[in-house]
Amino acid sequence: MSNVLVMTDITKSFGPIDVLKGVSFSINKGEIFGFLGRNGAGKSTLINILTGVIHQTNGDFRILGKPLDKVKHKIGVFPDVDNFYGDWSANQHLKFFAKIQKIKIQQKDIDEKLALVGLLKDKGKKVKNFSFGMKKKLGVAQALIADPEFIILDEPTSGLDAESAIHMRDLVKKLASQGKTIFITSHNLNELEMLSHRIAILKDGRISVIGTMEELRAQSQNKIQVEITLNHPLKKEDLATITLPPHQIDKQHLRIFVKQQEEIGHCIRQLVLKGYDIYSVIQHEKTLEDIFLQNEVAQ
């Protein structure tokens, strides 16, 4: 599996303030890579380095094996939608951005990009008459204008209604399935959890955790929470003769906290031998929000 992005020990200082303190990670081809961090963690600074807005103090990064200035034409960046020209149409915007990037493009190619984001029927409308969500869609179309291999999407669904957000998520998945590599940030942690193949959390200028959701759960979850629903509440005399791990009881709901999967089966066997019917067994996995909050309070 080839690396599209490799960052090695990136640091960035503004005067005496060290914002990034040695950031290293890589992103694979065709991967949706989620990137998050609280405000002030250094996320925007790293994105600005990736897009060439500012330069790192130390360290190095390569995109498609080359320095940024050699591969800018292969990178798509989701722009600040407030910078669109209100009196221009969506069609005019894409033609203009293709021209300044020296991209030879035909109208059918522009129509294809607009159709991809759901704006084809609005291509002649002035952007000042667009909703915020429509501007977001135009921003994605602009990021795709050069048919890039590496796409940077910073909060692409923020402010969108539910239907538009679903459309945007489906588009991100489609692009990845076509071999595009996506670097995406979002304050919607549930969205990142659904979309991302791997996720990195930036904390105080450093990558604190990185991996798939399964790997992040394994790093953060020292106990498995399981809820067992019985046909009737546990009797006190039965409870005194059953060996349970740490647990909580609420009527016929038994919540246990185990370290190994085998402990779940052991508990269920004891309950069945005591004559209890098991209506359901639900294992509660940590969400990305759980992991993020735990990571923030960890020393």
Side-chain angles (χ1 to χ4, degrees), residues 26-230:
S26 62
I27 303 178
N28 302 315
K29 179 177 174 58
E31 187 173 33
I32 302 173
F33 188 85
F35 192 70
L36 69 147
R38 63 173 176 78
N39 292 337
K43 181 163 54 77
S44 295
T45 299
L46 188 137
I47 292 171
N48 286 337
I49 290 172
L50 259 183
T51 54
V53 176
I54 60 176
H55 296 287
Q56 66 269 28
T57 303
N58 288 299
D60 184 48
F61 70 96
R62 290 286 186 270
I63 297 175
L64 298 167
K66 298 178 181 179
L68 178 62
D69 60 347
K70 302 294 184 183
V71 290
K72 282 188 175 180
H73 61 291
K74 295 184 178 181
I75 302 171
V77 181
F78 182 72
D80 183 346
V81 297
D82 290 333
N83 290 334
F84 288 134
Y85 300 103
D87 287 326
W88 287 12
S89 68
N91 201 62
Q92 288 174 308
H93 272 93
L94 295 191
K95 282 186 175 180
F96 172 73
F97 286 110
K99 183 177 180 180
I100 63 174
Q101 293 180 64
K102 299 180 181 179
I103 301 166
K104 292 182 180 180
I105 194 167
Q106 298 180 354
Q107 184 61 50
K108 66 180 182 62
D109 299 314
I110 291 176
D111 288 349
E112 180 184 294
K113 299 296 186 293
L114 291 170
L116 195 61
V117 299
L119 283 180
L120 182 58
K121 64 182 176 59
D122 300 300
K123 70 177 184 179
K125 291 183 181 178
K126 291 184 178 181
V127 171
K128 67 181 178 183
N129 297 319
F130 276 17
S131 67
F132 182 72
M134 292 169 73
K135 290 179 181 178
K136 286 268 188 178
K137 292 177 182 179
L138 179 58
V140 174
Q142 180 185 320
L144 299 176
I145 198 68
D147 195 24
E149 295 181 45
F150 182 50
I151 304 168
I152 300 171
L153 300 175
D154 189 10
E155 299 286 346
T157 62
S158 67
L160 295 186
D161 59 66
E163 184 178 354
S164 295
I166 291 170
H167 178 83
M168 192 73 76
R169 288 195 292 269
D170 289 343
L171 175 57
V172 170
K173 292 177 183 176
K174 181 177 181 179
L175 292 169
S177 72
Q178 295 172 348
K180 309 292 186 186
T181 303
I182 316 290
F183 179 96
I184 184 170
T185 73
S186 177
H187 282 100
N188 185 334
L189 302 191
N190 182 54
E191 177 176 83
L192 279 188
E193 182 175 343
M194 288 190 296
L195 280 176
S196 305
H197 297 112
R198 287 190 303 140
I199 298 166
I201 300 178
L202 188 69
K203 180 181 178 183
D204 298 329
R206 293 186 174 90
I207 299 294
S208 58
V209 292
I210 186 170
T212 64
M213 275 303 300
E214 290 74 17
E215 290 168 341
L216 296 186
R217 288 189 182 107
Q219 293 175 49
S220 67
Q221 187 164 300
N222 55 10
K223 287 190 177 180
I224 305 167
Q225 178 181 327
V226 181
E227 184 170 314
I228 302 171
T229 303
L230 309 172

Side-chain angles (χ1 to χ4, degrees), residues 268-284:
I268 291 173
R269 283 193 295 273
Q270 292 185 83
L271 293 166
V272 171
L273 287 172
K274 288 291 183 180
Y276 293 92
D277 292 333
I278 308 298
Y279 285 174
S280 66
V281 179
I282 300 173
Q283 181 172 319
H284 294 279

